[in-house]
Every structure is written in C-alpha cells, then in structure tokens.
Amino acid sequence: MRHASLLLLASLIPLLCNASLATGDNGERPAAVSQASAPKLALIIDDLGQNPARDARVLALPGPVALAILPDTRHASQLSQRAHAAGKTVMLHLPMAPAGGPYAWRPELPQDELRRRLDDALAVVPHASGLNNHMGSQMTDQQQPMAMLMATLQQRHLFFLDSRTNPRTLAAATAQRVGLASLSRDIFLDDDPSPAAVARQFAAALALARKQGSVVIIGHPHRSTLELLERELPRLGELGIAWIDIGQMIATRGNRAMAAHGRGGIYR
C-alpha cells in the first residue's frame, strides 16, 4: 500500500510544478503569500465543456484553478487540451446516478460496464490527472463500485476528489483505506447561485481555511460565481490566503479527513 501511495504522489509532481507556474491568459500572477503556514485554498470548477464562453472565463482565472470537465459535452476534448496547454489541472467530472448518459455510473450496471464507461470517459477528457463525481448521491454510498473505482484509479495513478453530494458517501473513506491520493470537498460556492449567497459561501470558505488550515472549494460556471472569482481571487494574497494546486492540497492534507468529515483524520 505504501509503495502504491508513493507512486501516486510521484505522479502528482507535475501538478505541484504547475501550481508555481500557473498564470492567467494575460500573464499576471496572483498575489504571492510568503508565509509557508498561510491558510491554503484549492478551487475546482465543475460542469465544464458545455459552453465555450464560460469555459474560457474559467480558463482565464489567474491561478491554479482545476477544471472538472463533463465527458458527455460537445467541447470536452478541446477544453481538456487547452487547459493542459495552459498548465491547469484537468479533471474528469464523472457522471454518477442519478445522472444518466453513456458515461454515467449507475448501481444496476455490472462492473465490466462501469470500467468500460470510465475508460471511455477518460479517453474523451485527455490529460485528466484525477476525477470527481458529478451528482452521484445514488452511487457514492455503494461499497463495491467505490472499491473498484479506487483500485482502478490507483492502477492508473489518478487522484480522486469526493464532491460529497451524499452525507453517507463511502468514496473518500474507500480511497483512504487503499492509500489513494484523494481529497474531499469542504464547501460548494453556489448551490444558491444568487450573488449574495455566493459571496456568503466564499466568505465562509475563507473563514474555514483560517480555522482548519485549508479549504477545498467547488464552484460552477454561473455568472455570479465567475464574477465573484474574477474579483476576489487576485486579492487572496493580501488576505493572507495561499491559493494552491490540487496536487499541493493532497500533499498538505496527506489523505487525512478534516473534522467535518471524520475523526482523528479517518473518514467516517
């Protein structure tokens, strides 16, 4: 297990490098945070590949945003190529029940079909370093499929991010047991996409980062979300928050659960 974990962490070294090099399309870097002990923030934007204009705004964010791309979208492969070329972290946003479609993982499907759908989805989203679940409230509490998923990701040296769409999720705990490089989402920015609600969630995310040392945020390409991120992300440095890449966040947390998701670092 330890050997597999080392291989997985080694595979994340390019992501760590991207974090220090990532810039926006205009070449500007986000404000630097000098303190090594500064609270850390990682940001993932889900549901990409559907709208080129919105995708371009996400790609232009001036730091190490991770792009989670839906495989059954018209622009999935093109966006993946562009994001990789820009030094961003590319993720497969894998549909799971109640989501449908040709790539969706559903409880009634045999393991061979689940594995085939994962392979097909990864082929559509090249350069993916890992994946997170799209929807999945009817799938992430299924022990056997989650065990197979984590074993497959470990073999392919990919990480897993549990979007935590189900309070009974077994996904992160299963990843932890096999030593897979993984994370769990702390805050959704925009379940309510109104500007005031998104602003409150962003403030809550910064407060949580200061409280527990790090925060993992998932947002979506809503206009209100993008407007807030374009305005607030360049200010993180002056606010004392270090915006880091997914690979760095995995290394920072060391696969340990935050207090909201487990006890003593072990996922519930």
Side-chain angles (χ1 to χ4, degrees), residues 189 198-208 210:
L189 277 181
V198 174
R200 283 194 299 270
Q201 286 297 95
F202 190 74
L206 299 189
L208 184 59
R210 295 185 178 105

Side-chain angles (χ1 to χ4, degrees), residues 69-73 76-78 80 92 103 119-126:
I69 301 172
L70 288 163
D72 50 354
T73 55
S77 295
Q78 181 183 34
S80 180
L92 168 63
Y103 304 102
D119 289 343
D120 289 349
L122 286 168
V124 173
V125 184

Side-chain angles (χ1 to χ4, degrees), residues 45 189-190 198 219-230:
I45 303 297
L189 277 181
D190 45 21
V198 174
H220 301 81
H222 303 304
R223 176 181 295 178
S224 55
T225 303
L226 294 175
E227 288 177 350
L228 178 136
L229 293 175
E230 289 165 348

